[in-house]
């Protein structure tokens, strides 16, 4: 790897990087981290400094997981080809994956990215319903294709066939009241679309409402909303790119905390532990409608290597009994974060479950313009201490914690102790 | 791998496959090929039967290329992470890739699939021009996203902001006349879009016009068309997903046969020799316009593993001096195919260059309804002889030959000799 020193390397590299990759690529941190190695929950930079990874949700069974790497290397050395020839791998993988879903979600289609999965879900929904109206939450993010950017208000204003509704995390009241209000918003949006002559085809939600600020309650938000959109003749897509594969603990999929069976479930990020694979689990009747008029072929989707990698990831998740493990570690995380919120002045709400957490940073003096500045300072302070987290939220005022799921309680201790120190340290530092 | 016998396995497997993957997935051949191993230009099935691969354009430096597999395995075992941390790999790869392009195409953006690359190209074009009109060829295919399916007439009728024009392969006359006519069609389509209040943003063509029937002349078709669309304020996108990385020989990119510098070039299939990677090479001013309002992040695109794989593929292509190699073997292929066309009665036009060829099959009795049947029979006959090719064209009446680029003249001999036998054998067999 690189033998350049920490002090001079970044400047040249940043210039070269910006020259060749252009301005649409952004980096994390004031002083970007230059990583060269990963192992389980640890990352290492060019200077040999070790970081606890409390941010990356893709390497779900740990960075450079040996079983996954071995499956990748073995299959790539034997055969890498597409789904138009027979191969056991893709069928076995699809069956193993489907076994973790309710029986009604009986068909698996494979893509390379979560964006491709959501985009395909849209195409199927449009074909099956003969409609084009879409309902999303106010700050939703569903992917980078043209069609998805048009319905991702976190990226840009939505197109004319899209309606946005407030996410549950911004609705007040008891769980029942929040579910009531959210269903009512779906109802109103569907009526509005119908009035505009664009009847609703789809309600799609990220099942952990990540970009809206995180909502993971054991409530009826999802089931009530799904029932509502179905009453209007639309279908319900659960976007599990963020919430899937045990992220919130106890269940494999975040939608399972509620009594709902989605019409389609889209999967992405952790599916290949970093290998580009994603997919869609769908109720058969919808694919039949789509398959009547459309064929679907994805050159790399479900190729023999992706199938082998996906299978290795499933094996690891099952071996580690991941839903139970995440629930266990997540409880400790919840206790520690909620306790911390009571003991330091700069933490507002703490929202999350399992290993997906958002921590709002609030200026103790009540100057909300300083919240984002404080969050940045805490994130940079943690980075200096050797801990990587993310910053998100409308005003960049929320810490985002979503580590590899192999995170243990000892890692929770390291993270929360450092967070406590940084919350104390940051107050004078930015005044 | 499988120990099932050839006779009974496919039936059960086909049933299971259809049950879990659904009806939108199609297979090649009446009796699908069940592959278990690949090596250079060879593929092997469950029964140990060996096939010469004269069809697959993805494993461009050969199936299971050892250098590529090693790079993949080594990087995956060390670190697989995204572009928001610094890493040399992605910058080095982007620079090495860009060095094969004209200087004006100075910026590289990385995605996972050709569809994502073309979809991103559209987003950039829309943002940069403030327009939405699109011109494509009559049977174009540019990808599977919603936005690309809307402009891929080979998949379904195009949307209202899209105009289709006849591809050069279906225009008559001298090279100059064809270039004249094609430019005129671009002009007419741009005027038509303007009249409809949807001024043209983009002319996009597959630079080998693969799904339209293949056109690879050393002529001015591309440069004249690009000049024409620019006169109307639109931009020219060269889709090199099929034609790129030396496919037609002599040059790295198919557009280089003409005196044209595209505004954007999209890349895909062979870029990672099967590893899911793709990208866009763009003139900086366009990305600046896009980057002003849009950020772009692709979770897997340009990750450390993809960068390492891409670099290994470039290394192999350079080491093998692929443009020259393909030109050399392509000349032999041209001679042999054109000679065969004169000696057997069922071959019509032979179109192509380098290692991309289309061979029209024609019923000697002039019954055009039988052309597709004959092509199918020849393809199935070749498969029995242990040679894989494809069948395409509007009526499924063209053989498609586009092998791994490590194809040698001895492989051309095997292929064309077998093709000669099958062309003879097929006539009585299907009467």
């Amino acid at each position: 790897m690189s033998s350049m020193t920490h002090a001079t390397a970044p400047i040249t590299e940043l210039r070269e990087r910006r020259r060749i990759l252009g301005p649409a690529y952004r980096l994390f941190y004031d002083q970007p981290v230059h990583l060269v190695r990963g192992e389980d929950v640890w990352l290492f930079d060019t200077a040999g400094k070790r970081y606890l990874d409390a941010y990356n949700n893709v390497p779900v069974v740990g960075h450079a997981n040996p079983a996954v790497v071995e499956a990748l290397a073995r299959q790539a050395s034997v055969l890498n080809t597409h789904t138009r020839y027979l191969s056991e791998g893709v069928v076995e993988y699809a069956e193993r994956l489907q076994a973790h879903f309710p029986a009604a979600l009986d068909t698996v289609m494979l893509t390379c990215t979560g964006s491709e999965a959501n985009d395909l879900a849209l195409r199927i929904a449009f074909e099956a319903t003969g409609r084009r109206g879409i309902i999303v939450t106010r700050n939703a993010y569903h992917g980078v294709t043209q069609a998805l950017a048009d319905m991702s208000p976190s990226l840009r204003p939505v197109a004319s066939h899209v309606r946005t509704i407030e996410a549950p995390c911004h609705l007040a009241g008891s769980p029942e009241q929040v579910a009531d209000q959210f269903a009512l918003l779906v109802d109103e949006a569907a009526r509005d679309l119908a009035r505009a002559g664009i009847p609703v085809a789809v309600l799609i939600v990220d099942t952990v409402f990540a970009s809206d600020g995180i909502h993971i309650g054991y409530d009826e938000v999802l089931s009530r909303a799904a029932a509502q959109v179905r009453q209007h003749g639309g279908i319900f897509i659960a976007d599990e790119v963020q919430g899937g594969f045990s992220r919130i603990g106890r269940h494999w999929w975040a939608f399972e905390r509620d009594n709902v069976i989605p019409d389609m479930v889209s999967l992405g990020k952790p599916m290949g532990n970093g290998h580009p694979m994603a997919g869609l689990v769908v109720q058969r009747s919808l694919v039949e409608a789509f398959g009547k008029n459309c064929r679907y072929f994805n050159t790399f989707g479900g190729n023999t290597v992706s199938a082998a990698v996906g299978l290795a990831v499933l094996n690891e998740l099952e071996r580690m009994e991941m839903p139970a493990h995440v629930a266990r570690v997540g409880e400790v995380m919840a206790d520690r974060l909620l306790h911390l919120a009571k003991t330091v002045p700069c933490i507002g709400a703490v929202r999350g479950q399992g290993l997906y957490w958002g921590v709002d940073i609030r200026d103790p003096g009540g100057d909300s313009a300083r919240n984002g500045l404080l969050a940045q300072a805490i994130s940079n302070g943690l980075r200096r201490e050797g801990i990587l987290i993310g910053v998100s939220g409308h005003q960049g005022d929320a810490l985002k914690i979503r580590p590899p799921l192999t995170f243990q309680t000892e890692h929770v201790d390291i993270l929360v102790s450092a967070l406590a120190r940084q919350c104390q340290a940051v107050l004078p530092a930015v005044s």
Side-chain angles (χ1 to χ4, degrees), chain A:
Chain A
M1 296 288 133
S2 172
S3 63
M4 291 180 282
T5 69
H6 214 134
T8 60
I11 296 157
T12 329
E13 282 184 34
L14 284 172
R15 203 180 302 134
E16 274 189 53
R17 180 185 149 104
R18 194 173 155 88
R19 192 181 58 68
I20 193 75
L21 299 179
Y25 278 79
R26 312 286 159 88
L27 285 162
F28 286 140
Y29 297 107
D30 303 339
Q31 290 269 324
V33 185
H34 188 148
L35 300 171
V36 295
R37 187 163 77 80
E39 192 182 335
D40 194 16
V41 298
W42 300 101
L43 289 163
F44 301 83
D45 75 8
T46 43
K49 177 169 175 164
R50 189 174 86 153
Y51 298 88
L52 177 64
D53 185 358
Y55 178 71
N56 287 292
N57 55 351
V58 168
V60 72
V61 293
H63 286 283
N65 178 295
V68 176
V69 171
E70 201 216 322
L72 172 75
R74 191 178 52 224
Q75 185 61 47
S77 72
V78 171
L79 178 70
N80 185 3
T81 192
H82 53 79
T83 55
R84 278 179 173 162
Y85 302 121
L86 276 179
S87 95
E88 285 115 43
V90 66
V91 174
E92 183 185 357
Y93 176 64
E95 289 179 340
R96 285 279 304 279
L97 179 68
Q98 193 282 324
H100 289 285
F101 283 88
L105 286 156
D106 55 1
T107 305
V108 175
M109 298 180 78
L110 296 165
T111 67
C112 298
T113 67
S115 288
E116 284 194 330
N118 277 333
D119 197 290
L120 175 59
L122 269 198
R123 286 189 62 193
I124 293 174
F126 290 167
E127 200 68 40
T129 62
R131 299 162 162 210
R132 288 279 168 143
I134 298 173
I135 304 172
V136 297
T137 52
R138 184 156 325 277
N139 200 43
Y141 172 79
H142 294 292
V144 292
T145 67
Q146 178 72 37
L148 297 173
D150 272 350
M151 49 175 265
S152 290
S154 67
L155 289 182
R156 69 178 191 207
V158 297
S160 59
H161 63 292
V162 182
R163 295 293 175 277
T164 59
I165 61 176
E166 199 53 84
C169 32
H170 300 295
L171 301 172
S174 68
E176 291 79 20
Q177 289 170 322
V178 168
D180 275 352
Q181 289 175 71
F182 192 65
L184 188 63
L185 291 173
V186 172
D187 184 47
E188 286 171 1
R191 287 177 199 279
D192 190 49
L193 283 166
R195 273 193 301 274
I198 322 161
V200 63
V202 165
L203 166 68
I204 179 169
V205 301
D206 165 359
T207 49
V208 298
F209 299 92
S211 64
D212 277 294
I214 303 178
H215 174 89
I216 322 180
Y218 273 85
D219 53 38
E220 299 189 335
V221 159
L222 301 179
S223 53
R224 294 283 309 282
Q228 193 62 259
V229 78
R230 284 167 182 157
Q231 257 182 35
H232 286 279
I235 68 171
F236 174 63
I237 303 177
D239 179 339
E240 291 268 346
V241 172
Q242 294 279 342
F245 293 97
S246 317
R247 174 56 55 185
I248 70 163
R250 207 167 132 184
H251 307 291
W252 271 74
W253 319 109
F255 73 79
E256 291 180 285
R257 70 185 187 272
D258 192 351
N259 184 28
V260 65
I261 297 180
D263 298 292
M264 301 195 228
V265 179
S266 55
L267 306 173
K269 298 191 187 297
M271 198 170 184
N273 208 48
H275 183 75
M277 60 185 295
L280 209 54
V281 188
V282 199
Q283 301 206 17
R284 171 56 57 101
S285 58
L286 292 171
V287 199
E288 296 283 358
F290 178 73
K292 228 176 278 169
N293 300 314
C294 306
R295 59 196 162 95
Y296 183 79
F297 176 64
N298 187 308
T299 301
F300 306 127
N303 71 24
T304 49
V305 172
S306 296
V309 170
L311 203 55
V313 173
L314 283 186
N315 286 340
E316 285 291 271
L317 288 168
E318 290 170 6
R319 182 179 69 77
M320 297 174 184
E321 300 180 338
M322 203 56 101
H325 166 77
V326 172
R328 213 157 40 233
V329 180
E331 293 261 312
V332 178
M333 181 84 91
D335 287 350
R336 301 289 311 271
L337 286 177
L338 291 166
H339 179 258
L340 180 65
K342 287 184 203 143
T343 56
V344 296
C346 67
I347 293 184
V350 171
R351 292 176 310 281
Q353 191 173 296
L355 287 170
Y356 207 122
W357 291 89
V359 176
D360 289 341
I361 300 302
R362 295 289 171 260
D363 176 57
D367 179 1
S368 66
R370 276 169 45 91
N371 295 346
L373 206 63
L374 287 172
Q376 279 296 340
I378 292 170
S379 163
N380 280 308
L382 286 173
R383 177 251 159 103
R384 281 190 304 274
E385 281 208 45
I387 295 169
L388 303 179
I389 62 161
V391 172
S392 68
H394 278 290
Q395 273 77 45
D397 57 359
L399 307 181
K400 194 153 71 172
I401 298 169
R402 35 166 228 196
L405 298 184
T406 53
F407 222 62
Q408 307 290 335
T409 53
E410 72 208 63
H411 305 128
V412 175
D413 287 338
I414 297 171
L415 168 68
V416 183
S417 305
L419 183 55
R421 273 191 300 278
Q422 290 304 321
C423 282
Q424 297 295 352
V426 84
L427 293 177
V430 296
S431 351

